[in-house]
Amino acid sequence: MPVPGFNQAMIDRLNRLLGERLCYLYLAAVAITAYEVVMRYLFNAPTSWAFELTILLCAICYLVSGGYVTVQHKHIAITALYDLMPARVRWWLDLLAMLTGILAMGLLVWSAWRPGVQAVRVMERTGSAWDSPSPAIIKPLIAIGALLIVLQLLAQLFRHLTGRPSPQSANES
């Protein structure tokens, strides 16, 4: 039963694309950190920007990767009891987990949206020596990252209720 205006495959593709492309920011963070170590300890010329930029790049990856982790079904899970349950009980536990996730991430979107918009509006900065606009980037990404998770969980919920397997589980077969 497709939901009008809600393209589940598009949400899957978006979250996969973001996760697979933004992961290279972690590599950039490693390179920047290596550069800072060389500059600081070999040339006694530390930078004022390397630490903040590294934190910003890692924060971007972390906040946007939630949808990717959700589409891949790779969240941390302790499955010792879950695996012992019959299929029908697991179905209900999965439903409960999705509904709880939608509620929690929905509340996060709701509570993070206004501070995120305000940070962009005033172009909030760190106040450090480099004075980067990291808060104006990170604060809205909290809401956007949570929204990506909500959309992915909704796509999975619709599949779960209609009994269709996700593309990820179909590829594993």
Side-chain angles (χ1 to χ4, degrees):
M1 151 183 115
V3 177
F6 190 77
N7 189 330
Q8 298 164 23
M10 183 184 75
I11 292 166
D12 292 344
R13 284 192 303 272
L14 173 64
N15 280 316
R16 278 198 184 92
L17 177 76
L18 289 170
E20 291 168 359
R21 298 301 185 263
L22 289 179
C23 68
Y24 293 106
L25 293 180
Y26 281 125
L27 187 58
V30 169
I32 292 166
T33 301
Y35 175 80
E36 170 63 15
V37 168
V38 168
M39 293 305 292
R40 178 178 298 268
Y41 295 108
L42 292 182
F43 299 108
N44 197 26
T47 65
S48 62
W49 52 267
F51 178 73
E52 274 188 56
L53 184 56
T54 299
I55 296 299
L56 175 62
L57 295 176
C58 291
I60 291 169
C61 289
Y62 178 79
L63 292 169
V64 177
S65 68
Y68 178 76
V69 172
T70 304
V71 76
Q72 297 290 333
H73 299 282
K74 298 294 183 184
H75 281 286
I76 295 172
I78 301 171
T79 61
L81 295 176
Y82 178 88
D83 290 341
L84 296 173
M85 298 295 148
R88 191 74 185 146
V89 172
R90 286 195 311 264
W91 188 93
W92 283 102
L93 289 172
D94 290 339
L95 178 66
L96 177 64
M98 284 181 255
L99 293 173
T100 302
I102 290 167
L103 176 65
M105 290 296 105
L107 289 171
L108 182 57
V109 170
W110 180 74
S111 64
W113 186 252
R114 189 171 295 135
V117 168
Q118 181 65 16
V120 171
R121 184 177 294 129
V122 300
M123 194 46 67
E124 188 174 341
R125 304 183 82 76
T126 60
S128 67
W130 188 41
D131 201 26
S132 76
S134 293
I137 297 168
I138 292 172
K139 286 184 178 183
L141 277 180
I142 294 169
I144 292 167
L147 180 62
L148 290 169
I149 295 171
V150 167
L151 292 173
Q152 190 60 55
L153 286 170
L154 286 170
Q156 290 175 350
L157 177 65
F158 293 136
R159 285 188 195 105
H160 188 71
L161 294 174
T162 59
R164 291 192 330 250
S166 70
Q168 178 67 21
S169 61
N171 291 340
E172 293 171 357
S173 306

